[in-house]
Amino acid sequence: MLDLFRSRTGFILILLALVFIGIALRATGNMGLVQDATFGVFAPVQTILIDASNGVTNLFGGFQEVNELRAQVKQLQERLNTAVIDSVRVRELEIENSELRAQLEYKQENPDYLLSGATVLQENDNRARVLSQDPSALVNYITIDQGRAENVAVGMPVITPAGLVGRVTEVGEHWARVLLLNDTTSSVNAVVQSTRATGVVQGQGQGSELLIMRYLPLGDSVKEDDLILTSGIGGAFPKRLVIGQVIQVRQRDTDLFTEAIIRPSVDLSRLEFVLVMKKFTPTDITTEPTPTAAPSPTPTPAATIAP
């Protein structure tokens, strides 16, 4: 029987027999039984094949959807980045516009100062460092984009609409270095607005942004919240520029003078735009020659007239 299945002739005979059986079943109307049996056998296999085909289709469709979603996310991220950059630019322009408007108003209110706007190019990197491990005094300065070509000279005061910043100490062709108020070498003759008591405002160093006013008379010469202005004494700065406000008063019975701690009216750590007072010419009275009295003429003895 096995040999019959293995031989080509036997296979053809079996195939012909199945064909004749099929014809006979169709002729007698019993073909439905064979179809039902065949469907019952092959239906699960067909279902598995269909599910596998759908799974492959869904898999490739899923990959395509993921790629499309990734492209959309990338596009949305680029739009978000552009919007953030535009928002930052608009905000920066608003801040710059506000500062420049304040400078313009200050210039219009003080036409005698001949103020020139300047942009801060560079801050001293060591300006805010504490000097606990460095015995040398660090210089607190900024560099601005105005120099000799713009008629900036050493000694010119530098301000903002909020008050005094410092003075020019070095000038290049198109740049200048400005020594800030909180430097230990800075010294400004000042006056207490309420009492008119005078003293000297200096930087404290050690990384502090606060100032100290020395040599104030003992007594009620100064109190907290008093406003400190430039006095104009000495000729280095004009009068009535705002320096800052008193936040603490130091006075002991053994001291010869009163001291006051001052918070500058200008945030010296966040300078972007400043004004250079070009019309004001600083004078140093210590370099002027001391006038000497002219020698009095020696009286000539009168001639004696002989009798």
Side-chain angles (χ1 to χ4, degrees), residues 13-145:
L13 291 175
I14 292 172
L15 183 62
L16 290 174
L18 291 173
V19 171
F20 285 124
I21 292 172
I23 293 172
L25 290 173
R26 179 178 292 276
T28 58
N30 294 320
M31 191 63 182
L33 297 176
V34 177
Q35 291 176 344
D36 292 340
T38 305
F39 181 79
V41 173
F42 290 101
V45 177
Q46 183 179 9
T47 301
I48 293 173
L49 293 175
I50 291 173
D51 291 342
S53 176
N54 291 335
V56 173
T57 303
N58 292 335
L59 179 62
F60 284 103
F63 283 140
Q64 184 176 3
E65 291 178 358
V66 169
N67 291 333
E68 290 177 355
L69 289 175
R70 286 179 178 175
Q72 292 177 4
V73 169
K74 183 178 180 181
Q75 185 178 9
L76 291 174
Q77 186 64 46
E78 291 176 352
R79 291 181 180 178
L80 177 61
N81 293 339
T82 302
V84 170
I85 293 173
D86 291 341
S87 176
V88 170
R89 287 176 179 172
V90 170
R91 179 57 181 160
E92 287 296 310
L93 288 174
E94 289 177 352
I95 295 174
E96 181 178 340
N97 183 52
S98 176
E99 293 183 6
L100 293 178
R101 281 180 177 273
Q103 288 191 0
L104 179 60
E105 291 176 3
Y106 189 83
K107 289 176 67 175
Q108 292 173 345
E109 293 172 359
N110 300 273
D112 296 336
Y113 284 164
L114 187 60
L115 300 169
S116 176
T119 302
V120 177
L121 298 177
Q122 176 186 353
E123 292 187 5
N124 181 7
D125 295 334
N126 297 324
R127 181 176 50 76
R129 191 174 70 184
V130 178
L131 306 180
S132 58
Q133 298 179 353
D134 188 350
S136 63
L138 295 179
V139 179
N140 294 346
Y141 64 83
I142 56 173
T143 304
I144 61 176
D145 63 350

Side-chain angles (χ1 to χ4, degrees), residues 5-16:
F5 280 105
R6 291 175 181 174
S7 64
R8 180 177 297 179
T9 304
F11 178 77
I12 292 174
L13 291 175
I14 292 172
L15 183 62
L16 290 174

Side-chain angles (χ1 to χ4, degrees), residues 106-107 109-116 159 230 238-241 276-280:
Y106 189 83
K107 289 176 67 175
E109 293 172 359
N110 300 273
D112 296 336
Y113 284 164
L114 187 60
L115 300 169
S116 176
I159 62 174
T230 55
K239 293 181 179 181
R240 294 184 294 276
L241 294 178
V276 182
M277 301 183 67
K278 296 182 179 179
K279 192 172 182 179
F280 177 78

Side-chain angles (χ1 to χ4, degrees), residues 138-183:
L138 295 179
V139 179
N140 294 346
Y141 64 83
I142 56 173
T143 304
I144 61 176
D145 63 350
Q146 297 276 307
R148 193 179 301 109
E150 291 77 25
N151 299 320
V152 174
V154 171
M156 287 183 173
V158 177
I159 62 174
T160 72
L164 183 62
V165 171
R167 59 186 174 86
V168 176
T169 57
E170 187 178 352
V171 177
E173 189 64 21
H174 294 285
W175 61 270
R177 181 166 292 178
V178 179
L179 185 73
L180 300 179
L181 285 177
N182 59 342
D183 185 75

Side-chain angles (χ1 to χ4, degrees), residues 165-224:
V165 171
R167 59 186 174 86
V168 176
T169 57
E170 187 178 352
V171 177
E173 189 64 21
H174 294 285
W175 61 270
R177 181 166 292 178
V178 179
L179 185 73
L180 300 179
L181 285 177
N182 59 342
D183 185 75
T184 54
T185 63
S186 174
S187 181
V188 182
N189 291 316
V191 60
V192 181
Q193 187 183 45
S194 61
T195 65
R196 312 314 294 176
T198 59
V200 177
V201 173
Q202 297 173 330
Q204 295 194 91
Q206 302 296 320
S208 175
E209 297 291 337
L210 300 178
L211 311 173
I212 185 169
M213 188 172 183
R214 306 182 191 272
Y215 313 121
L216 285 162
L218 294 175
D220 298 330
S221 59
V222 64
K223 61 183 182 298
E224 291 186 9

